Amino acid sequence: MIQRVRYELSEAGFRVVAIRPGRITIKKTGLWLKLEPLLGIWGVFLLDEREQQVIEHAQNVLVNSLAQWSLPLRSLLKHLSEQTRCPYEQLNDLFLATEGMTFGRYVVLQRLDKAIERLTYSNATIAEVARQTGYQDEAHLIRHLDAERGLPPAHFLALRDARMGQKPHRLVTAPVGMN
């Protein structure tokens, strides 16, 4: 598909500098009016430099926010919209065009990745990781892991234990005197 897009753009008189999924860089040309309909055939839309900067800024703010705060999803989305000075609806449209998913979905997946990272590389419990990454509670994180990755938290805890050379982590402990 990438080669096809490159060929079609070249045939239309554009000089393609770089092309990768989600991004095409072309040398500035006077043919802009001709470009948008051509790209629209493939479901590709033009972003101006400001829009690209908004997306990159939102991604950077998100990374910093996930590292510093454990905001619930709605609060996190509101915070990101305020920080980028871009209405949520516009952010949503930009992310849909560039990332192939809504802004909310992008944030949810980034937050889940942060939770997985903490389960795998820290000594935090599932409840602590849930709290640190803005989930309502441990059960919410567990349901989300299962729905999105098809894996329970025990999988990531086992990876952590194997990495640290420890015995496998037990999620359920028997009552005293029942072992």
Side-chain angles (χ1 to χ4, degrees), residues 53-62 80 84 91 95 103:
Q53 289 172 348
V54 167
I55 290 169
E56 289 172 5
H57 183 60
Q59 290 170 326
N60 291 334
V61 170
L62 175 59
L80 294 168
T84 58
L91 273 175
F95 270 80
F103 183 54

Side-chain angles (χ1 to χ4, degrees), residues 154-165:
H155 171 80
F156 302 103
L157 296 176
L159 290 174
R160 172 180 71 191
D161 293 341
R163 187 180 55 77
M164 297 172 68

